[in-house]
Amino acid sequence: MHDETIILESDRTIKNYWNDLWRYRELFIILAWRDVSVRYKQTIIGVLWAILRPFLTMLVFVVIFGRLAKLPSDGNAPYALLVFAAMLPWSLFSVSLGEASNSLIGNEKLISKVYFPRMIIPVSTVVAAFVDFLISFIILLGMMGYYRFLPGWNLLLLPVFIILALLASLGPGLWITALNVKYRDFRYIIPFVVQFGLYISPVGFSSSVIPEKWRLLYSLNPIVGVIDGFRWCILGWNSPIYWPGFILSTVVIIFFLWLGIWSFRKMENSFADLI
Amino acid sequence: MAGVVVKSENLGKKYVIGHQAKGGRYIALRDVLVQNTRGLWSKALDLLKGNPIIQGDTLEEIWALKDINFEIRKGEVLGIIGRNGAGKSTLLKVLSRITAPSSGRVTIKGRVASLLEVGTGFHPELTGRENIYLNGAILGMSRAEIKRKFDEIVAFAEVEQYLDTPVKRYSSGMYVRLAFAVAAHLEPEILVVDEVLAVGDTEFQKKCLGKMDDVACGGRTVLFVSHNMNAIQRLCKRCIVLSHGRIAFDGESGNAIGNYLKSKDLNQQVSWPQISQAPGNDIIRLRAVRIVGDDGQVCSNFDVRDPLKLEIEFQVYKEAQLAISAQFIGALGSYIMASMDNYIRGSWGKQLPYSVGSYKTSCYIPGDFLNEGKLSINLWIYSPPFAPYVSPHIKLEDVVSIDINDSHDLGGARGAYPYEWGIEPAVRPKLKWTTELITEDNE
């Protein structure tokens, strides 16, 4: 028996929202599991896709930026590793941003028929993106073996940056998915942002090629900090972190996360009326 | 108060709809630009803040629910009845926390589960087994709870041998059975149920109703919406009648149903015993207008499959060309269609005149054609070649009205479709559909 009392009033933000979110953790897990299993069901390509996409993009970048443009790598790190170490967080970010942004619309039926804290939906899609990430991480290990490149203890800190990458996608993801409920045009923004972002973020090149005086400004792009962090973990001291930039990126990530959560919660009550 | 588990105080739910103003003879481009840029800025700001933006120049508030006060005691089974659009679904959505109220307050003690449709969240790619867990979690069951009841659910749904088949390969009957089986094993303290019993074949419906009986007798608090008066009478002792978003009646089910049927204020026939008082003029006067069934009996409640006839009796005092036009108006005042008799009496302006005498004209409306809900008739009688709006002899609005129901027993135009139509269409014809298997190849 639960001896709880719920009071429903207009404009009352649900008390204990975060507790409620915790109470619905089983639903969260099962929705995440649904997203993952539907993604890999039916097709072998599902798994293959998670491997091929970042790998092929990496090859193209190595040829264009490393061979043709002859951009320098970080320290002694092989150029392919430099690119792949950035490809990983970039795909994690872009896939989870894309999935989160479309998540509410994709679950229209649920939202109009059942109550649960709506934030579960975008957050659970991020988990599915994380599974993609784990699969491509295996390639990284393979590549490290191929280049006989031994990572340092920094690698242990990788989870911190993985979380940072997820938070970076969750902030804008929450905001856009909420807006998407009423204004379906927002879904067109994401493919554009992702395509554009791939080139303005230091994925195909090292962020050290950016002139020193622009580097702080460049770090306004939150992904710059995440990618630098990944490279630092994977390539070790070949790729030192530019701290002022990293802190700025983190602040931007936190700002977007705050904006995302704040606006999501504000719009959450009306989702069922609008969707 | 002790024992009260749901308490609604002055509950209201408002929707805001924008209308585009049509006034003004001409619009200057400059005005449009100024207005739109100003609007753009404030709207962009709203967007950033997450405030709703509503299109249109004038806003209209529609109260889907207003001043709703009631209490439900623990273990009570409360029925909610009312016409389409009376606010039943909105009320359930507010109580199950899907949408927030606009005014007033609801206090709920205990865990609520809502069942507004069966199979919410079912994923076609997943197997029956997986969908049981998924759907159970969506309805608020814990994993342990589902595990415990798993066998019972499977047995109820009768899908044992297809448990590991993706549900997209299920027949619609199996799908619905599985979906209902999960829902039927919910054990919340308060259960909110929309018209979901009306699914599946008759046999399964009986089973569902039996299950609902168990639930109702098991001391659970249940809120139950249905169009099925038999089910309401059987399951609920007490009923609330909603009408235009307000509570029209709250009390014993039998009385509530009586009130509901009466409140429909249908007027399936009208007659004027004193013809001098009847609508008309010195050329023609009405005697009676009525809607009858196929058997010629006056009736106020039609099944969507039944044909009906509009009968008009009138007296002609002077020989004249006459045209009769009936307009069909839907429940919310929507204009469904108009039909005229003039084609039966020759070409326009040269119609065979009606000689002096008493007449009966009837218009036959086939079954499986009109939508469900209230239907009312506007009647115009005029003389060609004039247009109907040029001094018609008779112009009456809402002369007669009836109610049309689409039953859920598979024979109607809705077939096995259990949900609302969304945007209510004007007509609901049962058109002819055919499907043939072209080839059994899978590519």
Side-chain angles (χ1 to χ4, degrees), chain B residues 100-175:
Chain B
S102 312
S103 68
R105 160 221 287 261
V106 185
T107 315
I108 300 172
K109 283 183 193 146
R111 200 167 73 130
V112 186
S114 55
L115 201 51
L116 303 195
E117 79 176 355
V118 290
T120 307
F122 260 46
H123 199 289
E125 294 290 345
L126 300 178
T127 67
R129 184 189 304 278
E130 291 167 331
N131 267 311
I132 291 178
Y133 279 98
L134 175 62
N135 189 232
I138 286 168
L139 294 175
M141 284 193 246
S142 71
R143 205 182 144 74
E145 204 178 338
I146 304 167
K147 222 170 196 163
R148 204 170 61 238
K149 292 181 189 152
F150 190 84
D151 293 335
E152 221 180 308
I153 292 174
V154 175
F156 190 88
E158 303 161 21
V159 292
E160 289 90 344
Q161 54 284 43
Y162 305 102
L163 261 187
D164 295 305
T165 312
V167 296
K168 66 177 176 187
R169 307 207 192 289
Y170 278 33
S171 71
S172 61
M174 277 158 64
Y175 185 95

Side-chain angles (χ1 to χ4, degrees), chain B residues 300-419:
Chain B
S300 66
N301 266 285
F302 285 86
D303 188 284
V304 78
R305 289 166 287 188
D306 294 339
L308 49 104
K309 235 186 317 187
L310 171 67
E311 290 185 349
I312 303 152
E313 282 182 33
F314 55 93
Q315 177 71 42
V316 176
Y317 295 107
K318 274 186 202 161
E319 186 179 278
Q321 289 186 36
L322 295 170
I324 303 173
S325 160
Q327 292 153 22
F328 294 72
I329 310 297
L332 300 169
S334 55
Y335 189 176
I336 299 169
M337 59 176 186
S339 187
M340 291 186 249
D341 80 327
N342 57 61
Y343 70 94
I344 60 171
R345 297 184 76 89
S347 62
W348 188 248
K350 298 191 181 104
Q351 273 125 322
L352 184 66
Y354 282 85
S355 52
V356 175
S358 190
Y359 292 85
K360 179 163 119 180
T361 295
S362 54
C363 170
Y364 179 85
I365 299 125
D368 281 323
F369 174 67
L370 289 167
N371 200 350
E372 64 177 340
K374 185 179 169 183
L375 172 77
S376 69
I377 307 283
N378 294 350
L379 185 68
W380 293 39
I381 300 181
Y382 56 99
S383 281
F386 298 109
Y389 42 83
V390 181
S391 59
H393 306 302
I394 288 161
K395 182 187 167 195
L396 286 174
E397 301 213 322
D398 199 11
V399 211
V400 284
S401 55
I402 53 163
D403 203 51
I404 299 175
N405 290 304
D406 197 351
S407 71
H408 288 69
D409 58 7
L410 292 175
R414 68 159 58 237
Y417 182 75
Y419 313 122

Side-chain angles (χ1 to χ4, degrees), chain B residues 9-27:
Chain B
E9 296 159 274
N10 300 315
L11 176 68
K13 176 73 188 174
K14 169 180 80 175
Y15 291 96
V16 182
I17 296 175
H19 295 286
Q20 216 73 46
K22 288 208 187 85
R25 297 257 295 285
Y26 62 90
I27 304 163

